[in-house]
Amino acid sequence: MNTRTIASTCVLLLAAMTFVSQPAASAQDSATAQDSATEPALPGNPLTRMVSGLNPMNWQMPKLKMPTMSTFLPTKQEKERVITKKDSLVDEVSTTAKKSWQRTKDTLNPMRLIPAGFRQNSQTTPAPQTKQQGGFFSNLFAPFPKSADEDASPSVNDFLKQEPVR
């Protein structure tokens, strides 16, 4: 194909698009009126606006609100809320720790580990102990009765009363 034919075809195509898009643009004026508050309308028909939107020279930096120190620092109400929360948190943690320690002591108490039938009541008095007679084996191996002198066990005072050996 000839370059003149290609160029004329492109010109005719662009002209046809501009004529076709003009009635559609008047119908879209009400829709673009709402968008015009956010961004200014570009001159020309929608095709020109689309092409100019693709040009990096027409691009704009987004408008960002710069943060200030007041946005980073907490307000007075926020500080009071944090302090109140902190105090209640410390109180809650200490109460929980006290209850947990008390439960641990109660659980590991050795008196709770002894079965109920084996517990000795501190209010009852122990039964008087009777002097035990020799059992079967003690009588078997020591058949002769013990003398009265052997019954008295020596004490420390008896040891100290001895005469020293020189």
Side-chain angles (χ1 to χ4, degrees):
M1 272 176 92
N2 197 346
T3 53
R4 285 186 187 175
T5 330
I6 293 174
S8 63
T9 310
C10 288
V11 170
L12 286 175
L13 183 62
L14 287 174
M17 289 179 76
T18 53
F19 288 122
V20 170
S21 64
Q22 281 180 357
S26 63
Q28 293 178 351
D29 284 340
S30 61
T32 57
Q34 294 174 354
D35 294 337
S36 64
T38 57
E39 74 178 41
L42 296 173
N45 60 25
L47 182 64
T48 347
R49 281 183 274 179
M50 183 185 78
V51 173
S52 67
L54 296 175
N55 184 0
M57 295 300 289
N58 294 334
W59 293 352
Q60 294 179 358
M61 287 294 291
K63 295 179 176 97
L64 299 174
K65 184 177 179 183
M66 293 301 291
T68 60
M69 284 305 284
S70 62
T71 58
F72 290 116
L73 298 175
T75 61
K76 186 174 182 180
Q77 295 171 346
E78 183 72 15
K79 286 179 187 175
E80 291 172 0
R81 187 186 68 79
V82 167
I83 289 172
T84 307
K85 189 90 167 172
K86 177 186 68 109
D87 291 343
S88 66
L89 178 67
V90 170
D91 186 41
E92 183 178 335
V93 167
S94 63
T95 305
T96 305
K98 287 176 188 173
K99 286 180 181 177
S100 298
W101 178 241
Q102 187 60 41
R103 275 186 284 163
T104 303
K105 287 195 304 187
D106 291 343
T107 303
L108 298 178
N109 185 0
M111 292 306 293
R112 288 183 52 120
L113 300 176
I114 298 173
F118 292 106
R119 290 186 187 160
Q120 292 182 352
N121 195 352
S122 61
Q123 295 174 353
T124 60
T125 57
Q129 294 182 354
T130 59
K131 188 171 183 181
Q132 293 182 350
Q133 301 294 329
F136 172 76
F137 289 106
S138 62
N139 290 335
L140 183 64
F141 293 119
F144 303 107
K146 295 181 180 178
S147 64
D149 295 336
E150 293 176 1
D151 284 341
S153 59
S155 65
V156 175
N157 289 332
D158 295 337
F159 177 76
L160 294 173
K161 287 180 186 176
Q162 293 178 0
E163 291 185 22
V165 178
R166 297 194 190 211

